[in-house]
Amino acid sequence: SWSLKIYWRCDVDKSCVVFAIIDGIPGHNGCFPTIHEKNKPSPKLRKLVGGKVKAGETIFAAIAREVKQEIGITICPVSEDDVIYEVDLVGKYGPYDFFVFKARYLSGEIELEDGIEEIFFSTPAKTKELVRGGQIAKNHDDALKMCL
């Protein structure tokens, strides 16, 4: 069950990253955002909105903070019921957990942080095409394949 796998706070031996598929953004119903980050090596691949969980932070607080920080909007509070993808991975800095939440827009206007180059809004069908075409970042593509 998820209650056994969810990390309310990340282990000291392992990092966590959190991302969201966000629905209900005004003017973009039926679409969800993906982003290009600045100063990333080519080719530029789209990724879901999100990032690293800070020390002592819950994964739930982290996704709310990351969405607000990266694209300026507030999402409705999320819980373990909103986790739609979770996998244990090993990267160049060691083991980490990769979570994707299904989230819903609550308030705010889209405003990109300095580290975000561009935002895209795509339907699930268009996103499937992007995944098949190799235009979505590693791990994000696997999550989207499972969720769309």
Side-chain angles (χ1 to χ4, degrees), residues 19 60 76-85 100-103:
F19 297 93
F60 312 115
C76 295
V78 294
S79 72
E80 67 269 14
D81 294 335
D82 299 308
V83 175
I84 54 177
Y85 183 79
V100 177
F101 289 89
K102 178 71 174 166

Side-chain angles (χ1 to χ4, degrees), residues 29-32 121-130 148:
N29 283 338
C31 297
F32 62 89
F121 292 92
S122 303
T123 63
K126 176 63 176 172
T127 303
K128 286 179 186 179
E129 288 177 28
L130 295 168
L148 296 176

Side-chain angles (χ1 to χ4, degrees), residues 52-102:
K52 287 187 81 171
V53 178
K54 293 180 178 180
E57 184 177 44
T58 68
I59 60 174
F60 312 115
I63 193 57
R65 176 186 52 75
E66 284 286 344
V67 169
K68 181 74 171 173
Q69 179 180 309
E70 288 190 348
I71 64 170
I73 64 170
T74 301
I75 57 173
C76 295
V78 294
S79 72
E80 67 269 14
D81 294 335
D82 299 308
V83 175
I84 54 177
Y85 183 79
E86 186 266 329
V87 65
D88 299 327
L89 298 168
V90 177
K92 63 182 177 181
Y93 301 110
Y96 66 101
D97 288 319
F98 185 99
F99 293 94
V100 177
F101 289 89
K102 178 71 174 166

Side-chain angles (χ1 to χ4, degrees), residues 35-53:
I35 57 174
H36 277 164
E37 294 177 308
K38 289 181 181 173
N39 304 317
K40 292 292 179 175
S42 291
K44 293 258 184 196
L45 299 176
R46 294 184 188 191
K47 75 175 204 72
L48 296 168
V49 177
K52 287 187 81 171
V53 178

